Amino acid sequence: MTHLGFERAADAADASHRLGTGPGAQILAGGTGTVDLMRLGVTAPERLVEILDLRAEHAAILFGRAGASIGALATMAEVAAHPAIRARWTAVAEALNQSASPQIRNAATIGGNLLQRTRCAYFRDAASPCNKRRPGTGCSALEGGLTWDLAILGTSPHCIANYPGDLAVALSALDASITVVGADGNWRSVAVEDLHREPGERPDLDTVLGAGDLILAAHLPELHWSRSSYLKVRDRESYAFALVSVAVALRLEEGRIVDLRIVLGGLATKPLRCRAAEEAVRGRSLDLHLAAQAAALCLEGAQVDAERAFKAEQGRRAIARALLAAGGHEKAACRVVFRGGF
Ligand code: FAD
């Protein structure tokens, strides 16, 4: 029988202390990801440090001159339903509302959502070789397995698992950051854009965070954007992970795009910002042609095989559609969907 320790942290300092004391500790927030992976035998922590009592101090959604601050223990449902988040940081509410199910959104937290692990079937099957789960054992997907729903961007010869979450994609587009306290008690800020890692030689390292790091809050800078939106394409319209997702934040002046950020989910090993496409669009008036050009740039360097070829085409259309819709060109966006004629 495996021994599992269970501890309840009273506050952030207590949680940091517990995480920094002895090996094998893992944070337990809503538990919707952690318990799932333990049941599957994918992870086997020695101690769970439950942090739900931190809700007293770290679940509030606050607004100030610098923007919004969302406590890491706020639930996905609380953030998605907040009127100011819905009205001003629309992509965040849209991403959360299209995530998981209402039951999961009621239990799952913002910190846990950002750190969810890939849904790659081989990672979740404890019997299959997987470099992310057990470094050096190989990649079952690349070695003759099914690849159809996996990443086509940011991959490495060791791993093509895609990042499954929605929220981090929207937060990256809005230039958000997180506050993290380390096991040593020191606080630091990490841009959400820089939080996740491409697999490279170390697919087992999903993020830049260390073992004892605790996320305390996410910060959305005061609005620089005229509008933001999140488009998710999936197998069914609810309760499914993204095959492709696109978050767009745009600043428009007299019809011209003076600034924008485009971030992809579903297609890549991490929420992926498309700087080349952003450069191509900045300063210009948006039309079908420009959206198509930007979409093609986003997918430059995509690694596709016969199974995943559809994701490149789906990605191209989703990006163009998201850009046009965010720019107020609804009719042109429909043309992309129904005719592919661009
Ligand atoms: P936990 O399960 O408690 O923790 C998850 C991970 O984060 C663990 O490694 C934990 O140690 C760590 N962690 C938690 N909080 C912190 C913190 N404050 N600081 C540092 N580390 C922390 N997500 C989507 O985005 N889109 C979807 O469509 C979607 N569909 C889903 C469908 C199903 C059936 C399920 C089970 C999940 C789905 N999810 C989806 C994932 C779900 O959103 C996550 O499981 C959930 O957000 C995790 O939050 P949690 O509070 O339960 O985290």
Side-chain angles (χ1 to χ4, degrees):
M1 198 168 75
T2 314
H3 174 79
L4 175 65
F6 184 85
E7 302 167 25
R8 214 161 150 174
D11 54 30
D14 185 32
S16 294
H17 173 72
R18 288 172 187 278
L19 291 165
T21 312
Q26 189 181 326
I27 294 167
L28 182 72
T32 61
T34 301
V35 175
D36 204 17
L37 292 178
M38 287 170 66
R39 263 203 310 246
L40 292 169
V42 172
T43 55
E46 289 168 33
R47 293 184 297 135
L48 288 176
V49 178
E50 200 231 61
I51 58 169
L52 289 180
D53 285 350
L54 274 63
R55 273 185 61 81
E57 279 184 67
H58 300 285
I61 304 169
L62 305 170
F63 301 90
R65 278 204 197 145
S69 169
I70 300 171
L73 273 295
T75 64
M76 292 167 70
E78 286 165 347
V79 180
H82 198 291
I85 299 289
R86 290 163 70 108
R88 304 184 62 207
W89 291 275
T90 315
V92 169
E94 288 177 349
L96 287 169
N97 272 324
Q98 294 176 71
S99 297
S101 64
Q103 290 89 339
I104 291 171
R105 295 198 293 269
N106 279 332
T109 63
I110 295 304
N113 185 283
L114 292 176
L115 297 189
Q116 66 181 281
R117 307 211 63 193
T118 183
R119 307 299 287 197
C120 171
Y122 301 105
F123 172 77
R124 290 170 62 80
D125 172 14
S128 295
C130 168
N131 287 324
K132 190 179 268 304
R133 180 168 26 77
R134 193 171 300 167
T137 54
C139 172
S140 296
L142 284 171
E143 290 157 19
L146 293 172
T147 62
W148 69 276
D149 58 344
L150 299 177
I152 60 172
L153 291 164
T155 58
S156 87
H158 306 286
C159 183
I160 58 170
N162 54 344
Y163 175 76
D166 295 296
L167 175 65
V169 178
L171 288 180
S172 299
L174 289 162
D175 201 10
S177 60
I178 53 172
T179 301
V180 177
V181 57
D184 56 6
N186 289 327
W187 291 35
R188 66 189 193 280
S189 175
V190 178
V192 176
E193 183 189 345
D194 301 328
L195 173 62
H196 297 92
R197 289 180 70 257
E198 288 185 0
E201 303 260 314
R202 293 293 307 271
D204 54 315
L205 302 178
D206 286 352
T207 71
V208 298
L209 300 189
D213 282 338
L214 175 67
I215 302 175
L216 294 180
H219 303 281
L220 285 156
E222 188 45 52
L223 276 192
H224 160 71
W225 311 105
S226 317
R227 57 178 88 184
S228 68
S229 68
Y230 185 75
L231 173 68
K232 179 171 177 177
V233 181
R234 45 189 162 164
D235 263 355
R236 52 172 192 260
E237 261 311 292
S238 98
Y239 204 28
F241 288 90
L243 283 170
V244 174
S245 72
V246 191
V248 176
L250 280 180
R251 185 176 175 87
L252 292 165
E253 279 174 17
E254 292 169 5
R256 256 178 359 103
I257 297 176
V258 293
D259 201 5
L260 87 160
R261 285 166 75 108
I262 307 171
V263 181
L264 304 181
L267 289 170
T269 51
K270 59 167 275 182
L272 194 71
R273 186 156 169 215
C274 305
R275 289 176 191 273
E278 292 171 10
E279 280 306 311
V281 174
R282 200 170 281 122
R284 298 172 67 182
S285 295
L286 190 60
D287 59 16
L288 201 58
H289 176 74
L290 190 65
Q293 190 188 335
L297 283 168
C298 289
L299 285 159
E300 247 179 25
Q303 301 283 313
V304 290
D305 52 21
E307 273 186 50
R308 285 174 294 162
F310 83 97
K311 286 191 84 165
E313 178 59 17
Q314 205 170 47
R316 201 169 68 87
R317 291 191 192 202
I319 295 159
R321 182 179 147 200
L323 266 173
L324 289 164
H329 299 274
E330 300 296 346
K331 262 194 188 165
C334 283
R335 264 187 73 190
V336 175
V337 184
F338 294 115
R339 292 207 219 149
F342 68 105

